[in-house]
Amino acid sequence: MNAEAGGAAVVELDPEERLDLLLRDLRSTRRGLSSREAARRLVRYGPNELRRRGGRRWPGELVRQAVHPLALLLWAAALLAWWAGIAAVAVAIVMVIVVNAAFAFVQEMQAERAVETLAAYLPAHATVVRDGHVHQVEAVTLVPGDVLAIEEGDRISADARLIEGGIEVDLSPLTGEAMPAYRAADRVDVHVPLLSARDLVFSGTTCTEGEARAVVFATGMHTELGRIAALSERVEREISPLEAQVRRVAWLIAAIAVIMGVAFLPLAMFAAKLPFHDAVVFAVGLLVGNVPEGLLPVITLALALGVRELVRRGAVVKRLSAVETLGSTDVICTDKTGTLTENRMQVTTVWTTAGQRELADIVATEGMPDDAALRALATVVAWCNNAQLDATGGPVGDPTELALLTAAEHLGRGVGTDERDARRRRQFHFDPVRKLMSTVDQRDDGIWIDAKGAPEALLPLCATVKQADGTVGPLTEQRSRAIAGQVDVFALQGLRVLAVAERQSTAGAELPERREEAEDRLVFLGLVAMADPPRPEVADAVTRCHSAGIRIIVVTGDHALTATAIAGQVGIGGPEPKVVTGDVLDRMPEHELDQLLRHHRELIFARTSPEAKLRIADALRAEGHVVAMTGDGVNDAPALRRADIGVAMGRSGTDVAREAATMVLTDDNFATIVAAVHAGRRVYDNIRKFVCYIFAHTTPEVAPFLVFALAGGAVPLPLTVLQLLAFDVGTETLPALALGREKAEPGLMDRPPRPRSEGVIRGSMLLRAWLFLGVICAALELTGFFAVLWHAGWYPGAPTGPGTPLHHAYQQATTMTFLGMIAGQIGTAFAARTEHASLRSIGVFTNPLLLWGIAFELALAAVFIYTPPLQALLGTAALTPRMLALVVPFPFIVWGADELRRRLLRRRRAVPAG
């Protein structure tokens, strides 16, 4: 033993030594550890997780926030003010930069944690053998000596030595090899590199096929993945498309500000004949007025809040940018089982050549019918099964297999998990392409091949059929047609149908090594029909999709009639749905698939392979659609990665699918996808609202300096730079944050999806912000400024400097400009709450956070205006009640003008063209 970092003792051993010696060194057995021993080892070895060494360095992050384009504008303004000898202004601008950088830094850290902590909602799990039983535990609790039960689709969470079975493993995270490698307990390698040993598996890799058990020999930072992580630096966070677009707009704003400064500075100095000091003040005001300081942190926070909201709705989103993409989703490709349905399988009916029987009737009579085929069918579904009814902590396994196992128990043909595992000689796992599973089992003093699967896949492999009296007869074409007809009858009722078959191996024959050898010359036993009712909330969700212009395409491995029946029950496909089966799709050229998707709004693809999902996703994206694709299996991973929004099932999905997906549903519910689209649209709308709100203040911030410059000094500066900074930093941010929490507008899900090419910042938004709301606010604030001066007896060119009779009136006038900007800001906040609807339709008081933000900025304005120390700093002066009364209507004028504009737009859209 030796001690490593954190005080955790680590076993020094050779994982390639003889298995019995390795188990001795690990003080473990093939039946794993006890729960108490595992708990003791967890304390001793520490959690099975990768620890970051260093992580993001906060000083560097602060520097990054202080050098983005908008901050560079402020730095330029500070340097210009310092050069001109206006030290107070320069210091104030630097303080603004620091405050904004700190705020943005805090929001980015919170947003990052919001995404990283989502792992707590869906922790990685591992299946282990403890106390002699199979348990599912959090992967972080794995310890050396644990015995893992590995199945197809599992992510391997620790380094382990195989002790039985064989699996295909995707080693690409460690080796870069794209092709899976075969690993088996009987392929012992010594004196080779660990990654080359054919009996070892490693943390971070995934099982793509097969089943095995393995004993853990390394966890956490002592795995191969941990060693790589210790040598690697953390990958930089990628910015989302929305953040990239905002940065482009920031550079555009910077360019506009610089151009305006370069153009107007000579005009101010030579045409308006301003003194150099005043010209510099003008230039600084232009630069500061053009900077929407809160834009980047508020957008980051809005996306993070959107992620948290989606978690509450049952959708775990892995990255912030997915919230943006969800808002433009226009096609949802969904599976049926578990997504449209409850995934609560229950065997309702069994059928053999003796006829159809309801399982409830058989159970009620408390006796198995005199039907040898039915008895054999019940035996096969119990043995050709991997579910566990007797597992500690409740049933474990696929819902379909649990339903079959329960039915076998009711029919008196159940088998214990230990006996089944001990007598199993081979397993050919469920193949999504062949749609079959088979096992080779030793029972009744013989070797039996047990098989179950889709009827159309299993029937061609059967040569005979078992009768009720136990005799075996040929499976004639007439009987095959009768069986196929019965399958259709069940499928039309929305039932899922499985066929069951068996074959006894001849005495002395070798065990089949390939599934083609096992699944041949089978004896057909009968059909099992299972009910999986639609989720009650799905029909409403489908209706919402239709009103939102979202297409729904069902892509399932189930029978076409079953899929059609369930789709019809929830409202997908219409009265005559277009159904395409997997074999037809496989033969369909790409151009025909494109035409099919183009001409049919809703389709049902039945009996499809996972590869078909990839073709469908590619075809839809080639047509410019934004696609959300559901999936749960290993083979679904390519389609989940290719779709714009890959949606994995949190309960029934494999680790591979969850890792490949962008979004994971914690409840596996189709309605949650629709709720996520609704939330994505709402977040996207809210981003537009506060972007419009922030940009609307550019015009009123710049207008006073333009009036000052164009008047050539005849009009004193209506707003000081320090007052402008107080406005930007003190009063703007909280209402912007509140707009990010705005509730959805009425009719949000009645609009067509947003085009992929449409940006969050549009020309119409900028026109509304800069040339409509901004111009109105600028006119009102300047009205207040000139009203105070004229009432005091001012005339153009009259001196207003310190010591002059009009100086106090001038300070009151600039204070009126400052307060007028705040009043206009309040009107802008209410106007920006809706983009199309009237404010009355959403309610004036339905956003309490905004009301609190407005109350805060009014209180802060009172502090700026009436507190002597801040009066001296900012150049403000106390306003009279008459002056305050002049400002009171400003918010209503701004909001009322925009309300009228939106009303005219609604009327124009309501009038049919022509």
Side-chain angles (χ1 to χ4, degrees):
M1 300 284 190
N2 74 326
E4 293 285 335
V10 179
V11 178
E12 291 287 357
L13 47 79
D14 179 11
E16 297 176 285
E17 67 182 338
R18 271 195 358 244
L19 183 57
D20 57 339
L21 297 179
L22 178 63
L23 290 171
R24 184 200 64 186
D25 291 344
L26 288 169
R27 296 196 301 281
S28 183
T29 68
R30 292 175 179 268
R31 294 181 62 81
L33 305 173
S34 68
S35 297
R36 289 184 179 181
E37 177 62 20
R40 286 193 290 269
R41 294 193 185 192
L42 182 62
V43 174
R44 182 180 182 184
Y45 298 127
N48 176 36
E49 59 187 3
L50 300 183
R51 297 186 298 273
R52 289 183 183 167
R53 298 186 177 181
R56 182 174 290 185
R57 296 177 176 84
W58 66 264
E61 271 304 301
L62 279 177
V63 170
R64 190 176 72 85
Q65 296 296 340
V67 295
H68 67 73
L70 302 182
L72 292 176
L73 272 184
L74 292 179
W75 282 115
L79 291 174
L80 197 57
W82 187 271
W83 180 56
I86 319 172
V89 172
V91 171
I93 294 175
V94 171
M95 290 180 63
V96 169
I97 296 172
V98 173
V99 169
N100 277 330
F103 180 73
F105 169 73
V106 170
Q107 297 308 328
E108 285 220 3
M109 294 300 99
Q110 288 183 351
E112 183 177 320
R113 285 196 296 271
V115 176
E116 290 180 350
T117 55
L118 296 181
Y121 290 89
L122 283 173
H125 288 90
T127 304
V128 299
V129 181
R130 287 182 183 169
D131 302 317
H133 297 281
V134 176
H135 299 261
Q136 192 174 66
V137 300
E138 292 189 14
V140 73
T141 64
L142 288 179
V143 294
D146 263 328
V147 172
L148 294 173
I150 305 171
E151 296 181 350
E152 176 186 347
D154 287 350
R155 181 177 62 189
I156 299 169
S157 302
D159 290 2
R161 166 85 170 266
L162 295 178
I163 58 178
E164 62 179 68
I167 54 177
E168 295 274 352
V169 183
D170 177 10
L171 295 171
S172 58
L174 296 177
T175 65
E177 291 291 334
M179 294 298 295
Y182 184 68
R183 295 288 185 262
D186 56 0
R187 298 196 175 190
V188 180
D189 284 319
V190 293
H191 307 305
V192 298
L194 284 184
L195 291 178
S196 301
R198 293 178 294 173
D199 55 344
L200 301 183
V201 292
F202 301 95
S203 176
T205 62
T206 52
C207 171
T208 60
E209 185 175 332
E211 285 188 343
R213 292 194 175 184
V215 61
V216 173
F217 64 82
T219 60
M221 295 301 291
H222 302 285
T223 63
E224 289 299 301
L225 188 65
R227 293 189 181 96
I228 294 172
L231 298 174
S232 303
E233 294 183 358
R234 190 165 179 237
V235 178
E236 289 294 324
R237 182 182 68 90
E238 296 181 1
I239 66 172
S240 73
L242 177 60
E243 291 174 304
Q245 186 182 22
V246 170
R247 287 186 181 274
R248 288 196 297 271
V249 172
W251 281 112
L252 174 63
I253 294 171
I256 292 173
V258 171
I259 291 171
M260 288 179 65
V262 171
F264 280 97
L265 190 59
L267 178 66
M269 293 183 63
F270 301 112
K273 300 189 182 304
L274 288 179
F276 175 73
H277 179 275
D278 291 345
V280 171
V281 171
F282 162 72
V284 170
L286 275 183
L287 290 177
V288 174
N290 274 290
V291 176
E293 289 89 348
L295 183 61
L296 292 177
V298 171
I299 284 180
T300 302
L301 181 61
L303 291 174
L305 291 174
V307 167
R308 289 188 180 276
E309 180 190 351
L310 291 175
V311 169
R312 288 194 295 271
R313 290 173 175 260
V316 178
V317 177
K318 292 184 177 180
R319 61 175 187 268
L320 294 180
S321 59
V323 180
E324 173 194 3
T325 309
L326 277 167
S328 58
T329 299
D330 66 336
V331 180
I332 299 176
C333 295
T334 178
D335 197 355
K336 179 189 75 67
T337 303
T339 311
L340 299 179
T341 63
E342 295 180 358
N343 203 18
R344 187 171 49 86
M345 290 290 185
Q346 182 178 6
V347 175
T348 60
T349 311
V350 289
W351 182 92
T352 66
T353 55
Q356 176 179 324
R357 293 182 177 88
E358 301 297 319
L359 184 64
D361 294 340
I362 299 176
V363 174
T365 59
E366 298 183 355
M368 172 71 86
D370 186 18
D371 185 344
L374 182 56
R375 290 194 296 273
L377 179 148
T379 301
V380 169
V381 297
W383 285 81
C384 185
N385 202 308
N386 287 318
Q388 300 180 52
L389 291 177
D390 54 356
T392 304
V396 176
D398 178 79
T400 299
E401 296 206 325
L402 285 170
L404 294 172
L405 209 53
T406 302
E409 291 276 351
H410 289 324
L411 295 173
R413 312 296 284 187
V415 61
T417 302
D418 292 340
E419 181 184 0
R420 182 186 65 194
D421 293 345
R423 295 195 174 198
R424 179 168 293 175
R425 296 295 174 258
R426 291 278 191 277
Q427 174 178 306
F428 302 103
H429 63 88
F430 177 77
D431 187 330
V433 177
R434 293 174 63 91
K435 299 180 179 60
L436 294 173
M437 172 187 176
S438 57
T439 57
V440 181
D441 303 300
Q442 182 176 2
R443 67 172 191 272
D444 301 333
D445 298 325
I447 299 296
W448 292 82
I449 289 86
D450 301 319
K452 69 176 189 293
E456 66 271 22
L458 190 62
L459 268 176
L461 305 178
C462 296
T464 53
V465 59
K466 178 167 282 192
Q467 311 286 348
D469 59 4
T471 60
V472 175
L475 182 60
T476 63
E477 185 177 345
Q478 182 179 358
R479 282 179 171 171
S480 294
R481 284 199 301 269
I483 295 170
Q486 185 61 46
V487 170
D488 291 345
V489 169
F490 285 143
L492 282 170
Q493 299 171 14
L495 300 176
R496 187 176 186 185
V497 189
L498 286 180
V500 182
E502 68 177 7
R503 174 168 62 85
Q504 185 173 15
S505 181
T506 55
E510 295 184 0
L511 296 179
E513 294 291 337
R514 298 184 303 115
R515 69 182 315 149
E516 290 80 7
E517 299 173 6
E519 297 165 355
D520 185 39
R521 296 175 288 107
L522 298 172
V523 180
F524 179 81
L525 300 176
L527 302 173
V528 179
M530 291 170 283
D532 185 15
R535 295 178 181 268
E537 63 273 20
V538 168
D540 180 62
V542 169
T543 302
R544 295 177 68 196
C545 282
H546 290 159
S547 63
I550 299 173
R551 297 170 61 183
I552 303 175
I553 296 176
V554 178
V555 187
T556 179
D558 278 349
H559 192 282
L561 294 177
T562 304
T564 304
I566 295 296
Q569 292 175 36
V570 298
I572 299 176
E576 296 183 1
K578 176 66 175 178
V579 182
V580 180
T581 57
D583 54 349
V584 173
L585 179 62
D586 292 341
R587 298 192 301 270
M588 188 178 293
E590 297 298 335
H591 70 276
E592 287 188 17
L593 177 59
D594 293 342
Q595 290 180 356
L596 181 72
L597 293 170
R598 197 178 299 127
H599 295 141
H600 294 274
R601 182 160 181 82
E602 292 192 339
L603 292 157
I604 298 172
F605 290 95
R607 289 302 191 206
T608 56
S609 64
E611 289 75 18
K613 289 187 175 182
L614 186 59
R615 283 190 66 195
I616 294 167
D618 282 338
L620 288 168
R621 295 193 71 208
E623 291 290 321
H625 295 289
V626 180
V627 181
M629 173 75 74
T630 69
D632 55 9
V634 174
N635 291 342
D636 290 331
L640 294 176
R641 290 193 182 97
R642 189 69 56 88
D644 298 280
I645 296 288
V647 183
M649 303 298 110
R651 292 180 179 177
S652 61
T654 62
D655 289 335
V656 178
R658 287 195 288 264
E659 289 179 358
T662 310
M663 183 170 77
V664 180
L665 302 182
T666 58
D667 56 3
D668 293 8
N669 193 341
F670 176 84
T672 304
I673 305 175
V674 183
V677 172
H678 178 274
R681 289 190 177 191
R682 170 177 170 255
V683 169
Y684 198 82
D685 270 10
N686 288 346
I687 290 174
R688 282 179 165 168
K689 289 171 185 177
F690 66 66
V691 168
C692 177
Y693 166 80
I694 290 174
F695 279 10
H697 304 147
T698 302
T699 304
E701 289 179 6
V702 171
F705 297 93
L706 291 179
V707 169
F708 169 66
L710 295 176
V715 176
L717 187 64
L719 185 74
T720 68
V721 175
L722 289 177
Q723 289 170 353
L724 176 58
L725 291 173
F727 173 80
D728 277 338
V729 177
T731 65
E732 186 176 66
T733 305
L734 277 183
L737 293 175
L739 288 173
R741 302 293 297 273
E742 190 69 46
K743 293 182 178 179
E745 287 190 41
L748 178 67
M749 292 296 283
D750 294 331
R751 306 181 206 156
R754 172 176 56 87
R756 181 194 290 268
S757 58
E758 181 182 301
V760 69
I761 299 174
R762 297 175 295 173
S764 59
M765 175 198 295
L766 297 180
L767 290 175
R768 180 191 181 196
W770 287 341
L771 300 182
F772 185 75
L773 293 171
V775 167
I776 295 173
C777 290
L780 291 172
E781 73 187 26
L782 291 174
T783 298
F785 172 77
F786 284 114
V788 171
L789 282 182
W790 280 327
H791 187 266
W794 172 85
Y795 57 88
T800 57
T804 63
L806 291 174
H807 182 62
H808 181 68
Y810 168 67
Q811 287 184 315
Q812 287 183 314
T814 61
T815 306
M816 277 291 286
T817 305
F818 174 73
L819 187 59
M821 289 173 61
I822 294 175
Q825 184 183 60
I826 294 172
T828 302
F830 279 103
R833 288 186 63 191
T834 65
E835 189 174 356
H836 306 285
S838 66
L839 184 60
R840 184 179 62 181
S841 66
I842 65 170
V844 177
F845 305 108
T846 53
N847 189 340
L849 185 60
L850 178 62
L851 300 178
W852 281 109
I854 291 172
F856 173 79
E857 65 177 337
L858 287 175
L860 193 61
V863 172
F864 288 155
I865 294 172
Y866 293 102
T867 306
L870 291 176
Q871 286 177 341
L873 176 66
L874 301 177
T876 56
L879 300 178
T880 65
R882 179 177 294 181
M883 295 173 185
L884 294 176
L886 179 62
V887 179
V888 169
F890 286 6
F892 300 97
I893 294 173
V894 175
W895 162 75
D898 194 70
E899 190 78 13
L900 179 61
R901 181 193 66 85
R902 281 180 274 121
R903 183 179 181 183
L904 294 175
L905 285 176
R906 289 196 302 272
R907 281 188 175 183
R908 190 172 69 181
R909 288 173 181 169
V911 176

